[in-house]
Amino acid sequence: MASLPETLEHARVASLPETAYYIPNFITHDEECMILDKVGSPTLTTASVLIAAAPKPRWKQLTHRRLQTWPSDLVQDRLLDAPLPAWLDDPVVSRLRSLPVTGSQSHIFAQSPHARPNHVLINEYPPGDGAAYWPVVCTVSLGASICLNIHRSRPDGALDPEPVWRILQEPRSLLITTDQLYTNYLHGISDIDQDVGLSADGVANWSLLGDPESFSGGCNARQTRTSLTYRDVLKVSKIGNKLGAFLKK
């Protein structure tokens, strides 16, 4: 079963000065397999046979990854007004909207223009591999673990190559970055075959991990990982209503 805290405050990454939340096992293994099947990422069936069921034309092949955008690409920072397909709405969006930030405060998207995420980026990363949005980003990881590096800029504007913090994202976990952690820092994934130096001292969310023993050796061998990134696009074009029936599929 999915494991949710009573409030997001219980999932706050306390070692970060800016606001981030981490929830392991935000979705179940069966839900992970269902989503991977829908997006067309390789996933294991009960017979341990690799399948890729989604239509290939939906993927865009980039230099080091594949990308899907739902319900549409942004054009001049504007999104077509169309619903997310049901398999991207439930269980993720419904759980996000049911989880209060604190005991008395509503969910994380309550103050955003549409009170819910309306845009999803799906990235598939093989091993080795802002202003248009409300400043809340929710990322669900599927298939494999990976370290997210968070960098700050130097006084001269150049990127500091050494990350300020590292966040370890396990399969089926949810990571939420908000406010200045989203707007004032750069997030990236190193082009390496394994994450090393993993420990309570080097990983910001170590105390919140669902299975820290899996990384007791300090390493994580990279495997194919798919991420779902949920955001609320500020500007929406109503012409997208005509696409609604098609995009629900």
Side-chain angles (χ1 to χ4, degrees):
M1 294 181 61
S3 178
L4 302 181
E6 291 185 6
T7 69
L8 274 181
E9 191 60 34
H10 290 95
R12 181 188 290 269
V13 183
S15 62
L16 295 178
E18 309 296 344
T19 308
Y21 307 95
Y22 181 81
I23 302 175
N25 300 309
F26 180 73
I27 62 173
T28 68
H29 182 268
D30 286 346
E31 290 165 344
E32 177 186 36
C33 289
M34 179 274 292
I35 296 172
L36 285 172
D37 181 46
K38 289 287 189 180
V39 302
S41 287
T43 183
L44 290 175
T45 66
T46 55
S48 297
V49 177
L50 284 172
I51 60 174
K56 290 183 179 179
R58 192 79 200 196
W59 286 108
K60 294 180 181 179
Q61 186 64 54
L62 306 179
T63 304
H64 297 295
R65 58 190 168 94
R66 295 198 298 173
L67 171 69
Q68 292 184 30
T69 56
W70 292 89
S72 69
D73 293 331
L74 268 64
V75 178
Q76 296 182 340
D77 290 342
R78 189 178 294 272
L79 178 72
L80 295 180
D81 186 13
L84 292 173
W87 53 273
L88 284 175
D89 190 77
D90 185 55
V92 174
V93 175
S94 56
R95 285 186 191 148
L96 286 171
R97 287 164 57 87
S98 70
L99 187 60
V101 177
T102 65
S104 58
Q105 187 178 351
S106 190
H107 60 82
I108 193 71
F109 283 97
Q111 302 302 316
S112 77
H114 305 97
R116 60 182 296 122
N118 60 2
H119 189 239
V120 180
L121 296 177
I122 302 177
N123 285 285
E124 182 189 79
Y125 300 89
D129 178 79
Y133 303 96
W134 183 257
V136 172
V137 174
C138 301
T139 302
V140 177
S141 293
L142 308 172
S145 300
I146 206 163
C147 250
L148 176 71
N149 297 328
I150 301 178
H151 301 261
R152 63 162 55 100
S153 297
R154 293 172 173 170
D156 62 0
L159 175 69
D160 190 334
E162 290 297 318
V164 188
W165 304 288
R166 302 167 79 201
I167 297 177
L168 184 55
Q169 297 174 259
E170 300 165 287
R172 299 177 295 283
S173 68
L174 169 70
L175 174 66
I176 301 175
T177 54
T178 69
D179 304 324
Q180 293 185 26
L181 191 63
Y182 168 59
T183 58
N184 293 3
Y185 293 87
L186 294 176
H187 304 173
I189 297 171
S190 299
D191 186 13
I192 53 180
D193 292 324
Q194 64 175 351
D195 300 296
V196 298
L198 305 180
S199 68
D201 294 330
V203 174
N205 61 320
W206 188 268
S207 64
L208 296 171
L209 292 176
D211 187 15
E213 291 300 315
S214 296
F215 313 101
S216 59
C219 296
N220 168 56
R222 295 278 184 88
Q223 301 178 54
T224 299
R225 169 183 173 264
T226 301
S227 68
L228 311 179
T229 302
Y230 287 77
R231 296 182 278 195
D232 187 356
V233 177
L234 302 179
K235 299 178 182 178
V236 173
S237 174
K238 294 298 182 180
I239 193 173
N241 285 332
K242 300 177 181 179
L243 303 178
F246 173 76
L247 292 170
K248 287 181 180 179
K249 295 180 181 179

